[in-house]
């Protein structure tokens, strides 16, 4: 009987999937995360505190940053802000703290996703893949030409946006969200639709959309507390009104409630991306003995 040698699948070329900067002061967590990302083909650099992270960021601009919230010397919020001063970069916040306030602040700082310890390393890899895929496909998808209306003008190719001639400092996701709404003025979208069309996710914490809408209103509305452009359609979602006319339905809160913050973002078991049940994956535990 002829022996058939086993089929060997070549390992992915190192760095073929992109460059990731992992920032975590816990060497055990960092080692696991770096190992998993290396294994699937990412080039990974590592930093243990804020200043080191900023130095590595400046020396070798990453495609994505996995950023721990509670860092020595400088916390993750400040690191994220300083990185974003040099231009948009996708950021996944990584922390043992699951407080609603921290989640909202992380998203408002501009984080694209938020992962709470304990977490599955495979789940984190899937999120890295998802965020990078969206970031890389944003430019081709936006290649339909300039968009304008209601005092807003947006150039997808140049990734520039203005309000009444004044430049807007938008994060990557805010820009994509505004571009999508400008393509469909007068049409109401639910948060699930926006998450699917703008984030490219079929899963996730819907409060992410609520927070980004509030943050975007703060940059494009004359009075964010009484929005005339990005309106809330109660029970449905949000709508962009370019004529800035209409009733007073637009308010600060979205169609959901603050209680839904963080329900989906931390749990891998609710995913529909083929990752499988969270129990079947190895889990990175929270660091013992540290308040993070």
């Amino acid at each position: 009987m002829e022996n058939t040698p086993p089929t060997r699948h070549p390992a992915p070329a190192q760095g073929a999937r992109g460059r990731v900067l992992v920032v975590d002061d816990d060497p055990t967590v960092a080692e696991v995360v770096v190992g998993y990302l290396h294994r699937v083909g990412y080039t990974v650099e590592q930093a243990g505190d804020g200043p080191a992270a900023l130095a590595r960021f400046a020396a070798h601009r990453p495609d994505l940053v996995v950023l721990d919230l509670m860092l020595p010397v400088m916390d993750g919020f400040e690191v994220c802000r300083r990185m974003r001063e040099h231009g948009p970069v996708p950021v996944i916040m990584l922390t043992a703290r699951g407080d609603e306030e921290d989640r909202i602040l992380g998203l408002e700082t501009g984080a694209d996703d938020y992962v709470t310890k304990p977490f599955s390393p495979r789940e984190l890899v899937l999120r890295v893949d998802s965020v990078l895929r969206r970031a890389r496909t944003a430019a081709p998808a936006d290649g339909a030409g300039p968009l304008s209306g209601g005092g807003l003008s947006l150039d997808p190719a140049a990734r520039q946006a203005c309000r009444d001639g004044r430049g807007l400092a938008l994060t990557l996701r805010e820009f994509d969200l505004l571009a999508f709404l400008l393509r469909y003025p007068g049409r109401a979208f639910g948060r699930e639709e926006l998450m699917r069309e703008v984030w490219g996710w079929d899963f996730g914490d819907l409060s992410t959309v609520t927070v980004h809408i509030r943050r975007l209103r703060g940059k494009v509305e004359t009075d964010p507390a009484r929005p005339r452009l990005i309106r809330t359609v109660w029970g449905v979602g949000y709508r962009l009104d370019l004529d800035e006319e209409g009733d007073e339905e637009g308010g600060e809160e979205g169609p959901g409630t603050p209680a839904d913050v963080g329900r989906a973002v931390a749990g891998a078991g609710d995913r529909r991306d083929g990752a499988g049940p969270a129990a079947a994956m190895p889990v990175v535990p929270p660091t013992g003995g540290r308040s993070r």
Side-chain angles (χ1 to χ4, degrees):
M1 181 176 178
E2 183 180 354
N3 291 325
T4 303
T7 302
R8 296 183 181 275
H9 299 283
Q14 195 62 45
R17 299 177 75 166
R19 180 185 296 273
V20 177
L21 174 60
V22 175
V23 187
D24 198 309
D25 63 319
D26 184 335
T28 302
V29 173
E31 181 181 359
V32 171
V33 172
V34 169
Y36 267 78
L37 290 171
H38 265 305
R39 199 168 303 148
V40 298
Y42 286 104
T43 295
V44 187
E45 294 197 58
Q46 183 180 342
D49 58 40
L54 293 174
R56 288 189 176 274
F57 181 86
H60 300 285
R61 182 71 173 267
D63 298 304
L64 180 142
V65 180
V66 176
L67 179 61
D68 189 25
L69 173 60
M70 298 302 292
L71 294 169
V73 184
M74 182 188 303
D75 66 26
F77 295 135
E78 182 62 24
V79 174
C80 184
R81 290 189 190 98
R82 295 195 186 190
M83 287 180 176
R84 286 282 168 78
E85 289 176 357
H86 299 281
V89 60
V91 174
I92 297 178
M93 286 283 190
L94 183 64
T95 180
R97 295 171 58 178
D99 295 342
E100 178 178 302
E101 182 178 348
D102 287 337
R103 294 176 187 274
I104 292 175
L105 183 55
L107 293 170
E108 289 191 332
T109 302
D112 295 272
D113 202 353
Y114 201 109
V115 179
T116 303
K117 301 174 187 176
F119 64 91
S120 156
R122 284 179 57 197
E123 171 73 7
L124 178 61
V125 170
L126 288 173
R127 295 201 191 196
V128 169
D129 288 343
S130 176
V131 171
L132 269 179
R133 184 165 55 249
R134 175 59 196 171
R136 286 166 174 168
T137 58
D142 289 343
L147 301 165
S148 63
L152 297 169
S153 60
L154 185 144
D155 185 343
R159 303 292 290 183
Q160 292 180 339
C162 296
R163 165 70 162 154
D164 296 329
R166 176 178 54 86
L168 298 173
L170 303 180
T171 66
L172 175 71
R173 201 67 67 187
E174 291 165 359
F175 187 96
D176 291 342
L177 179 58
L178 182 59
F180 182 79
L181 292 173
L182 272 169
R183 288 194 190 93
Y184 303 99
R187 176 175 168 183
F189 292 95
R191 292 187 299 171
E192 294 88 350
E193 289 181 276
L194 290 172
M195 178 158 283
R196 183 172 59 252
E197 298 296 334
V198 177
W199 276 256
W201 302 346
D202 289 322
F203 62 87
D205 182 358
L206 295 179
S207 68
T208 300
V209 178
T210 308
V211 170
H212 279 79
I213 287 286
R214 181 169 68 240
R215 187 173 173 85
L216 187 56
R217 280 172 170 166
K219 296 180 179 182
V220 305
E221 298 282 0
T222 302
D223 181 1
R226 298 175 61 85
R228 307 295 294 178
L229 287 167
I230 304 175
R231 293 179 169 275
T232 298
V233 182
W234 294 105
V236 179
Y238 303 99
R239 182 185 69 231
L240 179 66
D241 286 345
L242 297 183
D243 57 7
E244 302 187 53
E245 298 294 337
D247 55 32
E248 298 299 322
E249 62 182 343
E252 177 66 19
E253 291 300 326
T257 64
D260 59 19
V261 175
R263 286 177 181 167
V265 75
D270 293 333
R271 301 294 180 241
R272 300 191 294 276
D273 54 12
M281 301 181 184
V283 172
V284 175
T287 305
R290 286 198 305 163
S291 175
R292 296 175 55 80

